Amino acid sequence: MFGGILISSVFLIKILVELFLDKYIESLSVLYILFAAQYFSFIIKCVHLNLFKAKKLQDIYFGLMVIIIILSIVLNLIFFNIDNSIVYIAYATLVVNFIWFLVGELYFKNYWLNYKEYFYVLIILISFIILNTFIINNYVAFIIYIVIYLIFTFILNNETFTYLVKELTKFLKKKQKNVFASEIEKAP
């Protein structure tokens, strides 16, 4: 779920680049692909890596990482030779991260996500890629993505969604109370 929040920042970055860093606009076609890869990387680093550490399987992790690095080099060469484009290298990175995610999932079968969570990841990533590919206006794409994200988080991860809403409400109430208290102190 948090990976979905992480990758949503690409829309804001794209808006900032278009507004203030227009000489980097061409890099935006690569940016969203790399952010999609980060969704898998987030799970790999936050879940799989810690499972390898907790189970004292660092040697196996190291061996798998060497294989993944070799695979990455091979796929980068293959993808780059398709079109001599950095966009294809970004796609190779996405594929490698997906494979690395699958390796971690297959290695820790007892910790697999349930079917709703896999469906959730699929919906979020497909929505993210489609919106970044076909919606030119980043403001509109961002709003649509957030709506899709919230709807599917509510439907498929209701407990987490409820927890986040409760924590956000507590945080906002605390902020409001602090602002109110500082206003009282300023009063004559």
Side-chain angles (χ1 to χ4, degrees), residues 79-93:
F79 276 58
F80 186 73
N81 284 319
I82 291 173
D83 191 23
N84 291 339
S85 167
I86 196 162
V87 172
Y88 280 86
I89 292 175
Y91 280 119
T93 302

Side-chain angles (χ1 to χ4, degrees), residues 41-52 105 108 111:
S41 184
F42 186 76
I43 296 169
I44 293 163
K45 290 176 181 149
C46 292
V47 178
H48 298 156
L49 174 59
N50 286 315
L51 285 170
F52 277 105
E105 288 294 290
F108 295 109
Y111 297 96

Side-chain angles (χ1 to χ4, degrees), residues 30-47:
V30 174
L31 186 69
Y32 82 89
I33 301 165
L34 294 175
F35 266 73
Q38 287 305 307
Y39 196 100
F40 294 116
S41 184
F42 186 76
I43 296 169
I44 293 163
K45 290 176 181 149
C46 292
V47 178

Side-chain angles (χ1 to χ4, degrees), residues 43 101 105 108-109 111-118 121:
I43 296 169
F101 166 76
E105 288 294 290
F108 295 109
K109 293 179 182 177
Y111 297 96
W112 279 3
L113 300 173
N114 64 43
Y115 74 94
K116 288 191 324 186
E117 292 167 326
Y118 287 117
V121 169

